[in-house]
Amino acid sequence: MFIRNKLVSALSIAGIALFGAQAAQAQVIKIDGSSTVYPITEAVAEEFQKAKKNAIKVTVGISGTGGGFKKFCRDETDISNASRPITAKEMEDCKAAGVQYIEMPVAFDALTVVINPKNSFLKQITVAELKTMWEPAAQGKITKWNQVNPAWPDAPIKLFGAGADSGTFEYFTEATVGKAKSSRGDYTASEDDNVLVQGVARDVNAIGYFGYAYYAENKARLKALPIVNPKTNVAVEPAEESVIKATYQPLSRPIFIYVKAKSLDKPEVKEFIEFYMKNAAKLTKEVKYVPLPSAAYTGNIEHVAKKKFGSVFGGKNEIGITIEELMKREAKM
């Protein structure tokens, strides 16, 4: 009898432990995707975990927008960070896997082209010059600055840019070369923007691109290049004001999170999304991105309540969309 009671007791303890482990596992929110959106989502995750006294764990990975959507459509994550809208192919993959989602714009980013602070000859750059530098035809051929512009020195160009799984890579190539993912391959590529920051900061002949937040964190080590707006022919610096006024073109863009419909059935995920939208404007500004109008964040919560699944972009990226246009697009959902 004593042995039987001990066995029952042991089984009960094991059952409680198993239940506890399952409960702990159920309280993990999994997020992956864009390194550009990472600073916002990570800031939200930190504040949320503090508010919940770490009763809920939020993991935030950086596998790039494309890598994040692969995991998302394989049902491996609850939320996907994205620095561009979901593509038609990704929409098909999610549909085939039975994954429904809600698209939530969370901020605007000034995709920033940076050089080493010791570069004394480059004051601004045109989209045409960026194309000459980055297009596929440049591979192995455009290796010196004076090949891009004769006024520039006979010195090697060291290129640093986003990896192929990055939404920033897709947006930058479409905005500068004219076709998404159309790029030379002989450059230092990484999904981790901190790697690119270090590369440009160490080499006087370097040039690279990434989200504004990574530049803002490293202003002492980098110099942002004003981009000549193709419509006005005026060189404009990346900044909150130029993004709001839509003068920083064509490298100003909305950035997103995508939330899985099935994950919203979990109370902790729904609570996290509500916390995200309530604090997005403040935390977006803190990490140096441009917040959206408050109506955008309340609209995202309304879309959850009304189960407005899918994307308003129809599987296509759009270059040069403004905050005002995005808000109108949201109203038409």
Side-chain angles (χ1 to χ4, degrees), residues 15-26:
I16 291 166
L18 180 63
F19 177 78
Q22 289 172 337
Q25 190 178 14

Side-chain angles (χ1 to χ4, degrees), residues 227-236 246-247:
I227 307 296
V228 177
N229 186 319
K231 292 180 181 177
T232 64
N233 213 32
V234 175
V236 181
T247 56

Side-chain angles (χ1 to χ4, degrees), residues 81-142:
N81 290 330
S83 61
R84 53 136 175 94
I86 190 169
T87 66
K89 172 68 167 59
E90 288 160 350
M91 290 171 81
E92 287 171 14
D93 290 344
C94 276
K95 187 177 180 180
V99 173
Q100 292 182 303
Y101 49 84
I102 294 172
E103 178 181 77
M104 298 185 175
V106 293
F108 253 72
D109 173 33
L111 204 164
T112 305
V113 178
V114 297
I115 54 174
N116 187 284
K118 292 180 181 175
N119 183 320
S120 58
F121 68 87
L122 206 52
K123 308 299 181 189
Q124 62 185 49
I125 199 162
T126 67
V127 174
E129 287 164 343
L130 287 169
K131 180 180 179 181
T132 300
M133 202 179 287
W134 285 95
E135 66 186 341
Q139 183 161 330
K141 295 177 182 177
I142 305 298

Side-chain angles (χ1 to χ4, degrees), residues 5 49 53 76-77 81 143 179 183 185 188 206 256 317:
N5 285 343
Q49 287 173 116
K53 296 181 179 176
E76 294 173 11
T77 55
N81 290 330
T143 57
K179 183 181 178 184
S183 172
T188 301
F256 310 83
N317 204 358

Side-chain angles (χ1 to χ4, degrees), residues 44-58:
V44 174
E46 284 178 8
E47 292 300 316
F48 180 74
Q49 287 173 116
K50 277 185 204 169
K52 300 304 293 181
K53 296 181 179 176
N54 293 316
I56 299 171
K57 186 180 178 185
V58 184

